[in-house]
C-alpha cells in the first residue's frame, strides 16, 4: 500500500493549459489523407478537415497547435499556401528526399487557422529562418495579424477570404537550428534570432517570440545561446525538443523494454531542471520560459495502418499512453517554468493521437490520456507528498475540484493507493477513470478502435479509501 498526501498550500502555481498542446507538421500522412481530406471528399469533413478528428479534438480541449513544422518549416514559403487552392504550386518540401512526396499546398495559412478555430486551439507558427529573409517573415506576420485593410497585405488577406486578423500570438523563430535548420552554432543562431525577432517585432496581438532551444540534454546550447543573446531582442521562451526514442519493437516489446522506455521518458524531469538552471544564470528572475515543442516516443516506422507509406507513422500501445501520462505529470510539476509543450505529432506519425486513412480513423491510447488529463488545464498545481516510487502522479485544483492523475508504472504488479488531504478531509463522491489493458501491448486499430479505452466509475470516498491501480494503468481521480 502506498500513501500520498495532497498539500494544497504548496503549489508551483497555475498549470498553463498550453502544456497540453499539439504539433502538426506537413510530413508524411499528418495532413494529406490524415487531417485533411479536401472539401469535395465523400469522407465527412468541415471545409476539408476530417470531421471525425475535429470532433474528437474538441473533446480534449486542445489549447494550442504548432504548424507547419518541424523541419518542414525551414523550406516553407508561406506565399505558396494562400490564394485559390487550384492555383497553388506543387512544391518540393524538406522531407522529399525521405519519402518522395511533394507538397500540394492545399493546407496553407487560412486553412490552418480555420482548423485551429474548429478545434478551439491557438495557432503557433514556426517561421522559416534558413531559406528566407527577415522581411518575408515580417510580411507573413503582417498578413496574419494586421487590422482589416490597414496595409496591402491585410487587404490581400481579406481578398483571400479573411478580412479579420488571424491574431496569431505564438511565433517560433526557426526549428532545430542546431540540426536540420541550418546546422548553426548557438552563437550563430543567437545572432540570427536577434535579427529576426527585432525585424519581426510587430505588436498587434501581444505576439510572443520563441527561440529554438537545445536538442534534449545539450545544456551547452542553452548556455551559449543565452550568453550570446544578452536580452538583445524580445524573447518569450526557449523551446527544446526531447524524443525519448524507442526500446524494442513498438508492438512486441519485452518487459525489460517496457521499463527502458519509461526510464527514457522520465529523463524529461532532469532535462527541464538542467536547462532551467542554465537559463537562470543569465535570467535570474525567470522571465524567459521553457517550451518543449516536440516530445514523444520515436519508434521505427511501419507499424501503422499505412504499413510504412506515411513517413514515421507508428502504432501506439498502452506503453505509449504511459509515456504520455508520465511526461504530462512531469510538465505539471514544472509549471512554474514550462509554459507550453507540443506532443509530436497529431496524426499518422510519431506518438500520435489519431491514425487515419481513407474513410477510417481510430484514436490511440495517447488520445485518451490527453482527454483524462484535461482537468489540469489552467488549474492550480498542488504538491503531492508521499510514497511515489513505481508511480507517476500529479494533482491540481480548479473550481473546487481536485484532479489527480496517477500511473502505475509496473508491467505486472497491482498497486494500492491511499490519498489524504493535508489539513482537511476528502469525502463525498469521486469519478475514477482507468485506462489500461491486461496486455500492455494492446493498441487500437481500424478494426478494433475501442480495444484500449478508459472506464469510469463513481464511488463514495473518504480518507481511508483504497484506490486499486492495475498494472500498466493510468487512473484519473476527480474529487469535487
Ligand atoms: O517530428 C519529426 C521531426 O522531428 C521534426 O520535423 C523535427 O523538428 C524533428 O527532428
Amino acid at each position: 500500500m502506498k500513501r500520498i498526501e495532497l498539500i494544497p498550500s504548496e503549489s508551483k502555481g497555475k498549470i498553463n493549459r498550453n502544456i497540453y498542446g499539439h504539433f502538426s507538421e506537413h510530413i508524411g500522412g499528418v495532413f494529406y489523407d490524415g487531417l485533411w481530406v479536401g472539401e469535395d471528399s465523400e469522407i465527412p469533413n468541415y471545409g476539408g478537415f476530417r470531421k471525425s478528428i475535429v470532433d474528437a479534438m474538441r473533446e480534449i480541449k486542445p489549447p494550442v497547435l504548432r504548424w507547419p513544422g518541424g523541419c518542414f518549416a525551414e523550406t516553407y514559403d508561406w506565399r505558396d499556401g494562400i490564394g485559390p487552392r487550384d492555383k497553388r504550386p506543387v512544391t518540393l518540401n524538406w522531407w522529399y528526399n525521405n519519402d518522395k512526396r511533394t507538397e500540394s499546398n492545399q493546407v496553407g495559412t487560412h486553412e490552418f487557422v480555420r482548423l485551429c478555430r474548429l478545434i478551439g486551439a491557438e495557432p503557433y507558427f514556426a517561421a522559416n529562418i534558413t531559406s528566407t529573409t527577415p522581411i518575408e517573415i515580417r510580411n507573413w506576420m503582417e498578413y496574419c495579424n494586421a487590422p482589416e485593410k490597414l496595409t496591402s497585405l491585410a487587404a490581400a488577406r481579406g481578398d483571400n477570404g479573411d478580412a479579420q486578423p488571424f491574431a496569431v500570438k505564438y511565433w517560433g523563430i526557426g526549428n532545430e537550428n542546431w540540426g536540420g535548420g541550418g546546422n548553426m552554432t548557438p552563437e550563430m543562431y543567437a545572432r540570427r534570432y536577434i535579427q529576426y525577432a527585432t525585424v519581426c517585432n510587430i505588436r498587434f496581438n501581444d505576439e510572443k517570440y520563441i527561440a529554438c532551444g537545445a536538442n534534449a540534454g545539450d545544456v551547452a546550447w542553452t548556455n551559449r545561446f543565452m550568453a550570446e543573446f544578452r536580452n538583445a531582442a524580445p524573447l518569450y521562451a526557449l523551446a527544446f525538443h526531447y524524443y525519448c526514442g524507442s526500446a524494442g519493437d513498438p508492438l512486441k516489446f519485452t518487459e525489460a523494454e517496457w521499463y527502458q522506455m519509461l526510464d527514457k521518458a522520465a529523463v524529461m524531469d532532469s532535462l527541464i531542471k538542467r536547462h532551467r538552471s542554465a537559463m537562470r544564470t543569465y535570467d535570474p528572475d525567470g522571465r524567459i520560459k521553457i517550451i518543449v515543442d516536440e516530445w514523444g516516443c520515436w519508434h521505427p516506422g511501419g507499424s501503422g495502418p499505412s504499413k510504412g507509406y506515411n513517413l514515421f507513422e507508428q502504432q501506439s500501445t498502452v506503453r505509449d499512453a504511459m509515456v504520455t501520462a508520465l511526461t504530462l505529470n512531469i510538465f505539471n510539476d514544472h509549471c512554474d517554468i514550462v509554459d507550453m509543450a507540443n506532443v509530436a505529432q497529431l496524426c499518422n506519425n510519431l506518438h500520435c493521437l489519431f491514425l487515419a486513412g481513407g474513410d477510417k480513423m481510430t484514436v490511440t491510447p495517447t488520445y485518451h490520456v490527453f482527454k483524462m488529463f484535461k482537468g489540469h488545464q489552467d488549474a492550480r498545481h498542488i504538491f503531492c507528498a508521499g510514497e511515489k516510487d513505481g508511480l507517476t502522479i500529479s494533482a491540481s485544483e480548479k473550481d473546487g475540484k481536485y484532479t489527480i492523475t496517477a500511473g502505475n508504472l509496473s508491467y505486472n504488479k497491482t498497486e494500492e493507493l491511499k490519498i489524504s488531504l493535508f489539513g482537511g478531509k476528502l469525502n463525498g463522491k469521486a469519478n475514477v477513470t482507468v485506462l489500461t489493458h491486461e496486455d500492455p501491448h494492446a493498441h487500437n486499430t481500424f478494426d478494433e478502435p475501442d480495444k484500449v479505452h478508459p472506464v469510469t466509475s463513481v464511488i463514495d470516498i473518504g480518507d481511508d479509501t483504497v484506490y486499486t491501480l492495475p498494472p500498466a494503468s493510468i487512473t484519473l481521480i476527480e474529487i469535487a
Side-chain angles (χ1 to χ4, degrees):
M1 170 85 65
K2 296 231 155 76
R3 287 186 170 74
I4 294 290
E5 190 169 37
L6 305 182
I7 310 187
S9 55
E10 279 192 43
S11 168
K12 294 260 183 96
K14 186 165 152 184
I15 298 172
N16 194 320
R17 62 196 296 259
N18 287 344
I19 283 176
Y20 290 84
H22 301 273
F23 172 40
S24 56
E25 178 169 6
H26 286 238
I27 177 176
V30 175
F31 276 94
Y32 303 117
D33 208 25
L35 301 169
W36 176 262
V37 294
E39 258 171 330
D40 301 330
S41 172
E42 285 176 4
I43 300 164
N45 66 83
Y46 296 110
F49 288 105
R50 190 183 288 272
K51 179 176 183 300
S52 55
I53 293 186
V54 170
D55 290 345
M57 280 300 275
R58 285 173 173 160
E59 287 184 37
I60 64 171
K61 297 202 184 310
V64 62
L65 183 55
R66 179 173 181 248
W67 176 85
C71 291
F72 177 90
E74 290 291 7
T75 53
Y76 184 58
D77 183 345
W78 66 274
R79 291 184 191 265
D80 291 340
I82 57 171
R85 279 203 288 277
D86 59 356
K87 301 262 179 332
R88 293 186 193 170
V90 174
T91 52
L92 290 181
N93 71 77
W94 200 96
W95 295 104
Y96 179 76
N97 286 346
N98 296 71
D99 64 3
K100 299 288 177 270
R101 280 164 80 159
T102 52
E103 171 59 43
S104 67
N105 286 297
Q106 294 302 287
V107 175
T109 300
H110 292 254
E111 289 81 13
F112 179 74
V113 170
R114 195 151 41 73
L115 171 64
C116 289
R117 289 178 179 162
L118 282 167
I119 62 177
E122 289 269 0
Y124 165 14
F125 283 7
N128 176 352
I129 65 158
T130 49
S131 57
T132 185
T133 58
I135 190 69
E136 263 310 272
I137 298 306
R138 183 186 161 98
N139 287 340
W140 193 18
M141 292 176 177
E142 181 184 322
Y143 183 85
C144 290
N145 288 0
E148 183 177 2
K149 294 187 183 157
L150 179 74
T151 65
S152 300
L153 281 171
R157 182 188 66 229
D159 294 344
N160 287 328
D162 285 286
Q164 294 309 313
F166 291 141
V168 179
K169 186 163 166 183
Y170 300 107
W171 292 88
I173 307 295
N175 175 74
E176 295 194 350
N177 303 93
W178 35 260
N183 278 310
M184 300 184 199
T185 63
E187 291 77 17
M188 278 167 71
Y189 172 71
R191 301 315 308 174
R192 191 72 69 93
Y193 176 86
I194 293 166
Q195 183 190 14
Y196 273 75
T198 304
V199 168
C200 297
N201 185 16
I202 49 177
R203 297 251 160 230
F204 293 121
N205 183 46
D206 185 25
E207 285 84 352
K208 294 193 184 303
Y209 303 102
I210 297 161
C212 161
N215 180 17
D218 182 4
V219 177
W221 175 276
T222 306
N223 265 310
R224 289 170 58 187
F225 170 84
M226 293 295 285
E228 184 75 15
F229 170 61
R230 290 172 181 271
N231 291 323
L235 173 62
Y236 162 54
L238 205 48
F240 76 83
H241 289 178
Y242 178 53
Y243 287 99
C244 55
S246 192
D249 186 272
L251 298 176
K252 297 187 197 118
F253 50 86
T254 62
E255 179 180 345
E257 289 161 348
W258 162 275
Y259 290 112
Q260 282 165 20
M261 188 79 256
L262 300 187
D263 280 351
K264 289 180 178 188
V267 168
M268 184 67 87
D269 182 58
S270 64
L271 295 181
I272 294 167
K273 289 177 180 151
R274 290 168 62 208
H275 288 301
R276 176 214 305 258
S277 79
M279 288 163 69
R280 285 285 155 89
T281 307
Y282 307 90
D283 176 40
D285 301 334
R287 258 186 337 98
I288 301 170
K289 299 296 180 187
I290 288 178
I291 288 177
V292 188
D293 58 13
E294 291 184 32
W295 66 268
C297 295
W298 192 319
H299 304 300
S303 57
S306 78
K307 305 215 177 332
Y309 174 66
N310 289 332
L311 189 64
F312 301 153
E313 182 185 270
Q314 48 200 258
Q315 258 294 358
S316 285
T317 63
V318 173
R319 183 173 67 157
D320 298 272
M322 189 61 79
V323 167
T324 311
L326 182 60
T327 307
L328 293 174
N329 279 341
I330 291 170
F331 291 151
N332 285 347
D333 283 344
H334 287 292
C335 64
D336 53 338
I337 185 140
V338 178
D339 250 23
M340 188 197 291
N342 309 75
V343 63
Q345 300 200 12
L346 196 52
C347 181
N348 292 346
N349 201 266
L350 308 168
H351 207 114
C352 50
L353 280 75
F354 303 99
L355 291 165
D359 60 355
K360 306 269 197 321
M361 187 285 273
T362 182
V363 303
T364 65
T366 290
Y367 168 85
H368 291 304
V369 177
F370 272 86
K371 191 166 177 184
M372 289 165 69
F373 277 54
K374 69 183 176 187
H376 288 307
Q377 291 188 21
D378 282 345
R380 186 174 157 275
H381 166 268
I382 292 180
F383 185 64
C384 291
E387 301 155 278
K388 294 188 263 189
D389 54 302
L391 301 179
T392 164
I393 187 160
S394 74
S396 68
E397 188 229 327
K398 188 174 163 187
D399 302 331
K401 188 175 91 179
Y402 293 113
T403 298
I404 303 149
T405 45
N408 176 4
L409 305 174
S410 174
Y411 189 77
N412 46 22
K413 194 171 133 259
T414 299
E415 282 285 4
E416 293 191 321
L417 180 66
K418 271 193 178 183
I419 303 176
S420 58
L421 179 67
F422 180 75
K425 289 219 166 298
L426 291 173
N427 52 35
K429 301 258 181 232
N431 287 342
V432 179
T433 303
V434 181
L435 181 72
T436 190
H437 195 280
E438 59 196 12
D439 177 5
H441 307 92
H443 52 277
N444 295 336
T445 62
F446 293 157
D447 294 334
E448 286 185 290
D450 276 331
K451 189 154 181 180
V452 186
H453 65 275
V455 175
T456 301
S457 51
V458 182
I459 60 169
D460 290 312
I461 57 145
D463 278 345
D464 286 328
T465 302
V466 176
Y467 300 90
T468 301
L469 311 182
S473 68
I474 297 144
T475 300
L476 161 69
I477 302 166
E478 297 166 289
I479 304 172

